Structure formats: structure tokens, C-alpha cells
Amino acid sequence: MKPVDGARIAEIVHGQSANGADDAIVTGIARIDSRDIAPGDLFVAFKGEGLDGHDFVDQAVQAGAALSLVQRPVAGPHIVVSDTTQAISELARVLLQELRPACRVVAVTGSSGKTTTKDLLASVLSAAAPTVAPPGSFNNEIGLPLTVLRADGGTRFLVLEMGARAEGNIAWLCSLAPPDVSIALNVGSAHVGEFGSLEATARVKGEIVENLAPGGTAIINADDPRVLAMAQRTAGPVLRFSTDPSTKVEVSASQIAVGPDGRARFTLRITGQPDTAVHLQLIGRHQVHNALAVAAASFALGVSSEDIAAGLSSAPPSSPMRLQVVPCVNGSLVINDSYNANPESMRAGLQAMRDLAANHRRGLVLGDMLELGEFATAEHVALGASAANLQADWLVAVGSHAGDVLQGAVEAGMGANAVVAVDNAEAALIAACTCCSTTSKRKSKPKRSVIKDAPPLLTEVICSRPGIWPNCRSKGAVIEEVVTSGLAPGYKVVT
């Protein structure tokens, strides 16, 4: 944020200053983790289910926090408010107003692809002008204001990701940071357990195009009928994108091809602009849709088609555990997609796996799909079946629905000795690396055995591959191969 004194912050948030807070000058950004505090930052204390940020104010002050925003009196300069969530929301809204119109806001939502699109957009726009974008998935009532408060007087583009758990969520986020450009990616099964239907999901996602800033532009996916219908819900101009070159849209892709590395090439076509070639660095043909959304938004903000193509072609993967391809022992690749996802994004990931080089054995690390409600069990069983039908050589499932995924895979013909269940992402990556020895497609009843006597991340790993880990001694030999390869530094071998 731009430098601001405590008196001004207290005025904006209607708080009570204490311990010299009025004279404190915040020159950094707002943070909620005391371990990340840098000199000049604003520390915001939240009381969560397991931790209370107020207990870490002393640590934040010692690290250099200029001021703390709290709900009860603490040590050091601080401002007391009744609700820190409301306070940072109002602070973000007011300070962003002071940065406009020089700072333009781009917002993205969708059932899948939000974070990847946000990352691509940040990469393209940052090459054109100073850009602020959220780390990870800061897309709710806390993460979005914290992202807004990263912007300062030099920021020209502010990229925001907007998620929702209920009707009105996105409209409220837009009230804090009205978008100059809004992107509606897709409507899928994510949140269907909460919203109840795809139609209800579409109503919520469409709030992003209904709440544009004056003169704002809506970016619409013409390949999704529910998104295309949102064009009727916005008062601003609309730019539509499609992967079908025969569809009449403003932004499209032609000559789409996926190489043996799983990365897509295509020709970017923008109305009135020269065609340009794009070679994405991200895995999966579904990334073309995300890239077109970014192209349309960037074009609406004045970036040339040549610069858009160059930015898309050079943008590296940014967010971990989303189609993360890891070279493993014995020449295998591990595809780690263990971040929260939904059936549509998972199917896209499985297709990406199939597109990868045929001379590699193909393994999957799949995490839980959340917020599916009563559909959760069936969708996870179907996911396992899809993995088997797409000829995965082995599968590591992560989380509470790992058993459902394994059930679907085995029932669809995947050998029970080719599937593994673990309870956390780091253990999954290590377990996957041990799965690179030969697997059998022969069906057999899973023999599940808990690995013991191993480092903490491995103690809860459940392996259904008795041919590889029949006892601790042979297990140690496999782990040794992983450790000595550098994939699991710091872990000792158990023999």
C-alpha cells in the first residue's frame, strides 16, 4: 500500500488508536502471518478456530510491524476495531479508490482455472506495466482485501481472483474493487454441493459481470453456454473467446496442437489484430481456454497482440500442486494435481496426462475434490475410473476420499498393486516417487499396510503394493533410491 499513517487508518476503519498508533507510518503491506512480517508492515490479527492472531502481536512487533489492527488491546501501536475482516475490507476499498484511475482492476472467476488464469494474466500484464496479483488462491473476503492492500502508487494493473461460497459473495468482493475488466471462465461442478445446481452456480458467477466499474468490459467464454448467457447480464461491452475458429467471437484460437510434452501450441486471433503464434509452458490442452481469457482481458487493457502472445508463451507454472510434472526415478514423470479441484479440472488433468510423451510411464497424484456435497462419493469413484480408462500406470490418491478414488480405479481394471493412498500432499509426492518400479495390471485384492519406522511425512502412508514394500527392509531400499536421487532431501533410510 502507499505510505499511510495510523491516524488515517483509524479514521477509515472507525477504530480506536492506542500506544502511539496515530503517529505510526505503514510503509509496507498488510499481513496476517507474523512470520512473514517485514519492517513497516501492518499486522492484522484474526481469531481463527485453532489460532488467535492476537497471541502473535509481540512477534510481529519484534519483526518490525509498524502497526497492528486488532479486536482487543495488545502491546505496541495498535488500532482496535470490532471486526478485523470488515476493517481491512473498508481499508482496501478506500485506499484503492485513491489509486484509481491510474490503477486498473482485472477480476477473474469460474468453477475451474481461476488461479492459473490469474497467474497467466499477471505474467502478461507485468511485462507491460507494474502489476500486483495475489499469491496462491487469495480469493475470499480476507485474501482479496489483502491483495488490494499490496497495490501502491506505482501499480497500474491489479489482478484479483474472486471465489464464492454463497450468492452475493462475488458482488460484495466487486464492491470493494469494482473491476475494469471481468473474466467469467466457466460454470462447472465446483460448489454444486453448496449451490445445489449448475444454474445456481451460474447465477453466482455472473455477479462478476454485473458489477463492473463504469465503462468496464466483460470477458465471456463463448464455449460455455451458461457463461455465454451472462452477456445479457452486463451493461458494459463484451469480448467473447472460443477455441472454435468458426465461432464468431472477438478472440479465438486456431491450429491447436499438443506436443509430446503435453504443452499446447495455437494461433491467437484477435479481431483487427495480426495473428500471432503462442506456445504455452503449461501442461494441458485445456490451458488454451485460460490463455484466450487472458488474451481478451489484456487486449481490453491496451496490450498488443504481439506482446500478449509473447507473454503467454513465456509464462511459467506459478502455483504448486496444479498439474505439476515432476521427473522421478527410473525416468518416470509424476503429475501432481493434489490441490483442491473439481470434476472438470480433474478430467482436464487426466487428458493432459494422456497427451504426455508415450515413452513415459504415467502416474497420477490426485487430491480430494471439495464442496461436492451428496455427489462427492460418486464423483471420486468416477475420477478413479477415468484414471484407469486413460491408462495411468499408477495412482496416488490424497485425502479423505482417497478410498473412493482407489475403488473406482480398481473396479475399472487398474491393478490394486498400482494404487496408493496417503493423507497429505508432501507424503503423496514421496510415495509417488517410490511407485516408479514396475507395476502389474493384474487385479488383486488390495493389501493395505501402514509404513512405520519412517520419517514423519511417511509414517501415515498406506501402501497397497505389497510387491514393492513387503517389509521394512525392502521399503527402506526403495526410499533410499528416492533419497539418494535428491527428491526427498533430509530423510534418512529405514532398514
Side-chain angles (χ1 to χ4, degrees):
M1 67 180 75
K2 67 178 185 179
V4 58
D5 61 40
R8 174 64 173 145
I9 293 176
E11 177 186 6
I12 293 171
V13 303
H14 305 291
Q16 182 65 45
S17 300
N19 298 347
D22 283 348
D23 297 325
I25 307 294
V26 175
T27 57
I29 64 175
R31 299 186 191 270
I32 61 175
D33 191 331
S34 61
R35 296 168 297 182
D36 296 333
I37 289 291
D41 282 347
L42 170 67
F43 178 64
V44 185
F46 288 93
K47 183 176 175 56
E49 294 181 1
L51 294 174
D52 186 346
H54 296 81
D55 296 335
F56 299 92
V57 169
D58 286 345
Q59 182 179 336
V61 172
Q62 291 173 9
L67 183 66
S68 298
L69 188 60
V70 295
Q71 293 180 188
R72 67 169 187 257
V74 294
H78 63 272
I79 297 171
V80 180
V81 295
S82 59
D83 187 320
T84 49
T85 300
Q86 292 180 2
I88 62 165
S89 298
E90 185 63 12
L91 184 62
R93 186 187 67 80
V94 172
L95 293 186
L96 178 58
Q97 285 180 340
E98 297 176 359
L99 298 179
R100 305 183 88 160
C103 177
R104 289 186 284 177
V105 175
V106 192
V108 57
T109 195
S111 295
S112 60
K114 293 187 297 295
T115 300
T116 299
T117 300
K118 174 264 298 180
D119 292 340
L120 278 174
L121 192 56
S123 183
V124 172
L125 294 179
S126 62
T131 300
V132 167
S137 298
F138 274 36
N139 60 18
N140 61 12
E141 69 278 4
I142 295 175
L144 186 136
L146 289 174
T147 302
V148 171
L149 292 173
R150 289 174 174 263
D152 58 25
T155 304
R156 292 298 170 261
F157 298 121
L158 175 60
V159 179
L160 299 174
E161 180 180 337
M162 295 187 176
R165 295 184 178 276
E167 197 162 351
N169 283 169
I170 291 177
W172 185 79
L173 294 175
C174 287
S175 74
L176 303 183
D180 296 289
V181 176
S182 285
I183 301 173
L185 289 173
N186 46 54
V187 174
S189 300
H191 315 297
V192 70
E194 295 182 353
F195 296 143
S197 69
L198 292 177
E199 289 69 28
T201 302
R203 286 197 301 272
V204 173
K205 297 299 183 183
E207 293 172 5
I208 200 168
V209 301
E210 292 178 331
N211 292 278
L212 287 164
T217 300
I219 308 300
I220 298 292
N221 179 4
D223 293 337
D224 186 323
R226 291 183 177 85
V227 176
L228 184 59
M230 294 177 191
Q232 306 303 316
R233 297 169 59 181
T234 183
V238 174
L239 291 180
R240 298 162 301 163
F241 63 91
S242 172
T243 57
D244 183 352
S246 66
T247 302
K248 292 184 179 180
V249 295
E250 291 72 31
V251 180
S252 64
S254 63
Q255 299 177 304
I256 300 172
V258 178
D261 60 356
R263 296 175 172 86
R265 299 174 181 263
F266 63 94
T267 298
L268 174 62
R269 310 182 74 175
I270 301 176
T271 301
Q273 299 295 306
D275 291 354
T276 50
V278 175
H279 184 191
L280 297 176
Q281 301 304 304
L282 307 180
I283 300 295
R285 64 178 67 231
H286 65 287
Q287 303 290 4
V288 176
H289 265 116
N290 298 334
L292 291 179
V294 169
S298 300
F299 182 67
L301 292 167
V303 183
S304 70
S305 58
E306 292 87 352
D307 289 343
I308 292 170
L312 289 173
S313 297
S314 61
S318 298
S319 297
M321 295 188 294
R322 293 171 174 88
L323 283 181
Q324 182 179 4
V325 178
V326 182
C328 195
V329 293
N330 300 333
S332 294
L333 299 177
V334 175
I335 305 172
N336 185 346
D337 202 30
S338 54
Y339 193 82
N340 176 30
N342 57 69
E344 290 78 19
S345 64
M346 286 295 200
R347 284 194 289 271
L350 293 179
Q351 182 60 55
M353 178 203 71
R354 192 169 192 172
D355 287 336
L356 284 170
N359 61 339
H360 282 96
R361 298 177 61 246
R362 293 171 292 197
L364 288 169
V365 178
L366 300 177
D368 280 351
M369 301 180 291
L370 304 183
E371 301 175 352
L372 295 178
E374 62 184 282
F375 307 102
T377 296
E379 289 288 0
H380 284 90
V381 171
L383 176 63
S386 295
N389 292 334
L390 284 171
Q391 300 178 331
D393 289 289
W394 48 264
L395 164 66
V396 175
V398 190
S400 60
H401 286 284
D404 298 325
V405 176
L406 267 60
Q407 175 187 336
V410 172
E411 289 178 349
M414 198 168 183
N417 61 342
V419 291
V420 181
V422 298
D423 64 355
N424 66 71
E426 290 181 276
L429 188 55
I430 297 172
C433 289
T434 68
C435 289
C436 296
S437 57
T438 303
T439 60
S440 170
K441 293 291 185 178
R442 175 179 56 85
K443 283 191 176 183
S444 61
K445 185 177 180 180
K447 178 181 178 183
R448 302 177 66 136
S449 56
V450 179
I451 297 178
K452 299 180 179 179
D453 307 317
L457 285 177
L458 292 176
T459 54
E460 299 300 322
V461 174
I462 301 173
C463 180
S464 61
R465 303 194 55 210
I468 291 182
W469 287 334
N471 52 58
C472 286
R473 191 168 298 278
S474 62
K475 174 203 67 182
V478 175
I479 295 176
E480 182 175 20
E481 186 175 10
V482 178
V483 172
T484 56
S485 70
L487 290 169
Y491 287 94
K492 64 182 180 179
V493 177
V494 179
T495 57

